[in-house]
Amino acid sequence: MGRVLTIPNLISFARLAGVPLFLYLFLVSESYGWAVAVLAIGGTSDWIDGYLARKLGQVSRLGELLDPLADRLYILATLLAFTLKGVLPWWFTIALLAREAVLLVTLIILRRNGFGPPPVHYVGKTGTFILLFAFPVLLLAWATTGTLHTLSYASGWALALWGLALYWIAGFLYLQQFATVMREKSA
């Protein structure tokens, strides 16, 4: 039980709880300021849990599973909610979901052949971090007017497009790892 209730894992559990909270604040109560705060905290805590796990010597298999799960849920929930409300265009959502679909197929094939998921690549972590940073900035742009809107809109889209590019670059790196594993298995 000591390896479950670590500080980094508790942060990851809190991040997971933040997903439905964000959806409620954004879609139901339309409390956009609080939704921005939840997204910002969820995005920055992504880095904090991993840092603390390494710093405190509390790296665990559960933490290795919770962290990417929280990332994926934040991204998926934010994408769908933002697309429904018109914060993001459909093409952006489709571009991110297509990458996830491709990697899901490779993961299923790897599992069926007795392999685990490929190791997380720093390019993917960087892309995820940038996307999780871009989302609250885009929401801020959507919910404001004037100079704050203009600055948030420009910086939010710069971050979102940069994050999308890194997300796809990481996807190609994962596909290379997948191809290598499958080639070695068939050799």
Side-chain angles (χ1 to χ4, degrees):
M1 191 67 153
R3 296 306 289 174
V4 172
L5 295 179
T6 63
I7 292 171
N9 287 352
L10 291 173
I11 292 170
S12 292
F13 286 128
R15 289 183 67 224
L16 286 170
V19 173
L21 177 60
F22 160 73
L23 290 172
Y24 173 78
L25 292 169
F26 183 67
L27 294 173
V28 178
S29 73
E30 297 182 345
S31 302
Y32 302 128
W34 287 109
V36 168
V38 169
L39 276 181
I41 292 167
T44 55
S45 62
D46 174 38
W47 178 82
I48 292 169
D49 61 359
Y51 172 78
L52 287 176
R54 290 183 297 280
K55 185 81 171 169
L56 300 173
Q58 295 180 343
V59 174
S60 68
R61 181 66 184 140
L62 178 61
E64 291 172 350
L65 296 172
L66 284 177
D67 184 51
L69 175 64
D71 292 346
R72 295 298 166 274
L73 286 176
Y74 259 107
I75 289 173
L76 181 63
T78 305
L79 276 176
L80 296 178
F82 278 17
T83 304
L84 289 173
K85 287 271 198 168
V87 178
L88 289 174
W90 278 102
W91 67 263
F92 188 86
T93 301
I94 291 168
L96 278 178
L97 293 179
R99 185 263 197 187
E100 290 298 322
V102 168
L103 293 185
L104 179 62
V105 169
T106 62
L107 183 59
I108 290 169
I109 294 169
L110 286 171
R111 293 241 187 241
R112 286 193 178 159
N113 285 283
F115 299 104
V120 175
H121 198 279
Y122 75 90
V123 175
K125 287 296 288 177
T126 304
T128 299
F129 178 79
I130 291 170
L131 285 171
L132 291 174
F133 192 78
F135 290 153
V137 176
L138 287 171
L139 179 54
L140 186 63
W142 183 76
T144 60
T145 59
T147 304
L148 184 56
H149 165 80
T150 303
L151 291 173
S152 300
Y153 185 85
S155 57
W157 272 108
L159 289 166
L161 294 173
W162 185 26
L164 177 64
L166 290 175
Y167 216 59
W168 268 100
I169 290 169
F172 286 119
L173 293 172
Y174 293 134
L175 286 174
Q176 286 178 332
Q177 291 173 329
F178 167 77
T180 300
V181 167
M182 296 311 291
R183 249 191 323 272
E184 289 174 359
K185 181 186 183 312
S186 62

